Amino acid sequence: MNLILFGPPGSGKGTQSARLVGHYGMTHISTGDALRAAIRNKSEIGMRAQAIMERGGLVGDELVTDLLRSIIGEHRDTTDSFLFDGYPRTRQQVMNLDQVIEEFNLSPPAVIQLDVPDETLILRLTGRRLCAHCRAVFNIYFSPARQNGVCDICAGPLMKRVDDNPETTRERLRVYHGQSRPVLEQYQERGLLYTIDATGSADEVFRKINSVIEENY
Ligand code: AMP
């Protein structure tokens, strides 16, 4: 089974991906995580992506597809089941993914859309704090750490992602509505789109995702 977890920034793709990996043993590919790692490693891809990501735009289709292809290539021998998180994000990327799926002889992915209204997303993104050590996620509005700025799990320092500031958040949502939402129509036409109300708790959302998978796969 291959899945695309699709939704605006802050819709819970990262949180739900971790649960899906734990439950179904899927191989998680987050193009956002891969790009952030490339920036940390100061690789050429990272250098090209950094400024675009900091202002909330989309990295070029070709660059991000090459990255995706190389990650699939690393794992394809040992897995049949990928979870795509944050890819595809444009119509062109849908076509690129079709090609990659064929190249690696994978089954066509279903799309689970996490639906959350913009007002909630803005609070989730601007309030999000990540542990610099164990990457646990907190939110100053919805799920604050017990001690301000300190991780409940490992006592590491809590940080903000550079692109979680109010200005970049607005731009990321604008880009999502303009360029990424149209991706859904393509999967809807293929009968592969499942939409979930993702405003509830992480547990509730995971239960809904599970029902979709169990009813259809
Ligand atoms: P994310 O962690 O998925 O929110 O991604 C963070 C940032 O990485 C996005 O705002 C984009 O700048 C970039 N990015 C991640 N995935 C893609 C993609 N599939 N296409 C283009 N840019 C991407």
PDB file of all heavy atoms in Angstrom, residues 195-211:
ATOM      1  N   THR A 195     -11.176  12.377   2.039  1.00  0.00           N
ATOM      2  CA  THR A 195     -11.002  13.601   2.825  1.00  0.00           C
ATOM      3  C   THR A 195     -11.450  13.367   4.257  1.00  0.00           C
ATOM      4  O   THR A 195     -12.503  12.776   4.505  1.00  0.00           O
ATOM      5  CB  THR A 195     -11.825  14.753   2.191  1.00  0.00           C
ATOM      6  OG1 THR A 195     -11.308  14.972   0.878  1.00  0.00           O
ATOM      7  CG2 THR A 195     -11.690  16.036   2.985  1.00  0.00           C
ATOM      8  N   ILE A 196     -10.620  13.853   5.188  1.00  0.00           N
ATOM      9  CA  ILE A 196     -10.888  13.645   6.616  1.00  0.00           C
ATOM     10  C   ILE A 196     -10.922  14.989   7.317  1.00  0.00           C
ATOM     11  O   ILE A 196     -10.062  15.846   7.055  1.00  0.00           O
ATOM     12  CB  ILE A 196      -9.744  12.777   7.201  1.00  0.00           C
ATOM     13  CG1 ILE A 196      -9.975  11.327   6.826  1.00  0.00           C
ATOM     14  CG2 ILE A 196      -9.601  12.924   8.687  1.00  0.00           C
ATOM     15  CD1 ILE A 196      -8.860  10.436   7.271  1.00  0.00           C
ATOM     16  N   ASP A 197     -11.895  15.180   8.211  1.00  0.00           N
ATOM     17  CA  ASP A 197     -11.896  16.379   9.049  1.00  0.00           C
ATOM     18  C   ASP A 197     -10.774  16.190  10.090  1.00  0.00           C
ATOM     19  O   ASP A 197     -10.858  15.297  10.938  1.00  0.00           O
ATOM     20  CB  ASP A 197     -13.273  16.500   9.721  1.00  0.00           C
ATOM     21  CG  ASP A 197     -13.290  17.573  10.801  1.00  0.00           C
ATOM     22  OD1 ASP A 197     -12.263  18.258  10.997  1.00  0.00           O
ATOM     23  OD2 ASP A 197     -14.333  17.712  11.471  1.00  0.00           O
ATOM     24  N   ALA A 198      -9.742  17.048   9.994  1.00  0.00           N
ATOM     25  CA  ALA A 198      -8.564  16.843  10.848  1.00  0.00           C
ATOM     26  C   ALA A 198      -8.447  17.913  11.930  1.00  0.00           C
ATOM     27  O   ALA A 198      -7.349  18.251  12.359  1.00  0.00           O
ATOM     28  CB  ALA A 198      -7.304  16.788   9.983  1.00  0.00           C
ATOM     29  N   THR A 199      -9.623  18.427  12.377  1.00  0.00           N
ATOM     30  CA  THR A 199      -9.568  19.458  13.424  1.00  0.00           C
ATOM     31  C   THR A 199      -9.490  18.853  14.829  1.00  0.00           C
ATOM     32  O   THR A 199      -9.171  19.544  15.775  1.00  0.00           O
ATOM     33  CB  THR A 199     -10.814  20.374  13.373  1.00  0.00           C
ATOM     34  OG1 THR A 199     -11.964  19.537  13.290  1.00  0.00           O
ATOM     35  CG2 THR A 199     -10.767  21.312  12.201  1.00  0.00           C
ATOM     36  N   GLY A 200      -9.801  17.572  14.972  1.00  0.00           N
ATOM     37  CA  GLY A 200      -9.832  16.956  16.315  1.00  0.00           C
ATOM     38  C   GLY A 200      -8.439  16.635  16.842  1.00  0.00           C
ATOM     39  O   GLY A 200      -7.429  17.096  16.309  1.00  0.00           O
ATOM     40  N   SER A 201      -8.410  15.824  17.905  1.00  0.00           N
ATOM     41  CA  SER A 201      -7.123  15.449  18.497  1.00  0.00           C
ATOM     42  C   SER A 201      -6.373  14.508  17.559  1.00  0.00           C
ATOM     43  O   SER A 201      -6.967  13.903  16.659  1.00  0.00           O
ATOM     44  CB  SER A 201      -7.356  14.744  19.837  1.00  0.00           C
ATOM     45  OG  SER A 201      -7.913  13.464  19.582  1.00  0.00           O
ATOM     46  N   ALA A 202      -5.079  14.357  17.812  1.00  0.00           N
ATOM     47  CA  ALA A 202      -4.259  13.470  16.975  1.00  0.00           C
ATOM     48  C   ALA A 202      -4.811  12.038  17.013  1.00  0.00           C
ATOM     49  O   ALA A 202      -4.828  11.338  15.996  1.00  0.00           O
ATOM     50  CB  ALA A 202      -2.809  13.512  17.443  1.00  0.00           C
ATOM     51  N   ASP A 203      -5.313  11.614  18.186  1.00  0.00           N
ATOM     52  CA  ASP A 203      -5.880  10.262  18.300  1.00  0.00           C
ATOM     53  C   ASP A 203      -7.121  10.113  17.423  1.00  0.00           C
ATOM     54  O   ASP A 203      -7.295   9.112  16.726  1.00  0.00           O
ATOM     55  CB  ASP A 203      -6.291   9.962  19.753  1.00  0.00           C
ATOM     56  CG  ASP A 203      -5.084   9.658  20.624  1.00  0.00           C
ATOM     57  OD1 ASP A 203      -3.995   9.421  20.058  1.00  0.00           O
ATOM     58  OD2 ASP A 203      -5.232   9.681  21.862  1.00  0.00           O
ATOM     59  N   GLU A 204      -8.003  11.136  17.489  1.00  0.00           N
ATOM     60  CA  GLU A 204      -9.238  11.069  16.681  1.00  0.00           C
ATOM     61  C   GLU A 204      -8.905  11.012  15.194  1.00  0.00           C
ATOM     62  O   GLU A 204      -9.490  10.230  14.438  1.00  0.00           O
ATOM     63  CB  GLU A 204     -10.105  12.312  16.923  1.00  0.00           C
ATOM     64  CG  GLU A 204     -10.940  12.257  18.180  1.00  0.00           C
ATOM     65  CD  GLU A 204     -11.413  13.652  18.607  1.00  0.00           C
ATOM     66  OE1 GLU A 204     -11.319  14.609  17.806  1.00  0.00           O
ATOM     67  OE2 GLU A 204     -11.843  13.768  19.754  1.00  0.00           O
ATOM     68  N   VAL A 205      -7.969  11.862  14.786  1.00  0.00           N
ATOM     69  CA  VAL A 205      -7.623  11.914  13.357  1.00  0.00           C
ATOM     70  C   VAL A 205      -7.022  10.576  12.932  1.00  0.00           C
ATOM     71  O   VAL A 205      -7.360  10.040  11.872  1.00  0.00           O
ATOM     72  CB  VAL A 205      -6.646  13.088  13.072  1.00  0.00           C
ATOM     73  CG1 VAL A 205      -6.179  13.074  11.618  1.00  0.00           C
ATOM     74  CG2 VAL A 205      -7.306  14.425  13.416  1.00  0.00           C
ATOM     75  N   PHE A 206      -6.179  10.008  13.785  1.00  0.00           N
ATOM     76  CA  PHE A 206      -5.557   8.721  13.426  1.00  0.00           C
ATOM     77  C   PHE A 206      -6.628   7.631  13.281  1.00  0.00           C
ATOM     78  O   PHE A 206      -6.571   6.808  12.364  1.00  0.00           O
ATOM     79  CB  PHE A 206      -4.503   8.323  14.457  1.00  0.00           C
ATOM     80  CG  PHE A 206      -3.730   7.109  14.043  1.00  0.00           C
ATOM     81  CD1 PHE A 206      -2.999   7.096  12.858  1.00  0.00           C
ATOM     82  CD2 PHE A 206      -3.736   5.957  14.818  1.00  0.00           C
ATOM     83  CE1 PHE A 206      -2.290   5.965  12.450  1.00  0.00           C
ATOM     84  CE2 PHE A 206      -3.032   4.822  14.415  1.00  0.00           C
ATOM     85  CZ  PHE A 206      -2.311   4.832  13.232  1.00  0.00           C
ATOM     86  N   ARG A 207      -7.638   7.665  14.164  1.00  0.00           N
ATOM     87  CA  ARG A 207      -8.720   6.665  14.055  1.00  0.00           C
ATOM     88  C   ARG A 207      -9.430   6.797  12.701  1.00  0.00           C
ATOM     89  O   ARG A 207      -9.741   5.805  12.053  1.00  0.00           O
ATOM     90  CB  ARG A 207      -9.729   6.849  15.200  1.00  0.00           C
ATOM     91  CG  ARG A 207      -9.362   6.027  16.439  1.00  0.00           C
ATOM     92  CD  ARG A 207     -10.538   5.893  17.397  1.00  0.00           C
ATOM     93  NE  ARG A 207     -10.961   7.158  17.980  1.00  0.00           N
ATOM     94  CZ  ARG A 207     -10.360   7.724  19.030  1.00  0.00           C
ATOM     95  NH1 ARG A 207      -9.342   7.138  19.610  1.00  0.00           N
ATOM     96  NH2 ARG A 207     -10.803   8.875  19.512  1.00  0.00           N
ATOM     97  N   LYS A 208      -9.649   8.056  12.284  1.00  0.00           N
ATOM     98  CA  LYS A 208     -10.339   8.268  10.996  1.00  0.00           C
ATOM     99  C   LYS A 208      -9.476   7.760   9.835  1.00  0.00           C
ATOM    100  O   LYS A 208      -9.981   7.159   8.888  1.00  0.00           O
ATOM    101  CB  LYS A 208     -10.653   9.750  10.793  1.00  0.00           C
ATOM    102  CG  LYS A 208     -11.715  10.276  11.751  1.00  0.00           C
ATOM    103  CD  LYS A 208     -11.995  11.740  11.465  1.00  0.00           C
ATOM    104  CE  LYS A 208     -12.800  12.357  12.580  1.00  0.00           C
ATOM    105  NZ  LYS A 208     -12.904  13.804  12.499  1.00  0.00           N
ATOM    106  N   ILE A 209      -8.186   8.033   9.907  1.00  0.00           N
ATOM    107  CA  ILE A 209      -7.292   7.566   8.832  1.00  0.00           C
ATOM    108  C   ILE A 209      -7.305   6.036   8.776  1.00  0.00           C
ATOM    109  O   ILE A 209      -7.409   5.434   7.700  1.00  0.00           O
ATOM    110  CB  ILE A 209      -5.842   8.068   9.055  1.00  0.00           C
ATOM    111  CG1 ILE A 209      -5.785   9.591   8.949  1.00  0.00           C
ATOM    112  CG2 ILE A 209      -4.876   7.429   8.060  1.00  0.00           C
ATOM    113  CD1 ILE A 209      -4.412  10.195   9.229  1.00  0.00           C
ATOM    114  N   ASN A 210      -7.247   5.435   9.951  1.00  0.00           N
ATOM    115  CA  ASN A 210      -7.278   3.974  10.016  1.00  0.00           C
ATOM    116  C   ASN A 210      -8.533   3.399   9.391  1.00  0.00           C
ATOM    117  O   ASN A 210      -8.478   2.387   8.689  1.00  0.00           O
ATOM    118  CB  ASN A 210      -7.237   3.528  11.478  1.00  0.00           C
ATOM    119  CG  ASN A 210      -5.865   3.053  11.843  1.00  0.00           C
ATOM    120  OD1 ASN A 210      -5.121   2.624  10.978  1.00  0.00           O
ATOM    121  ND2 ASN A 210      -5.536   3.139  13.107  1.00  0.00           N
ATOM    122  N   SER A 211      -9.685   4.043   9.673  1.00  0.00           N
ATOM    123  CA  SER A 211     -10.938   3.520   9.098  1.00  0.00           C
ATOM    124  C   SER A 211     -10.870   3.584   7.582  1.00  0.00           C
ATOM    125  O   SER A 211     -11.300   2.638   6.909  1.00  0.00           O
ATOM    126  CB  SER A 211     -12.178   4.306   9.525  1.00  0.00           C
ATOM    127  OG  SER A 211     -12.116   4.611  10.841  1.00  0.00           O
TER     128      SER A 211
END
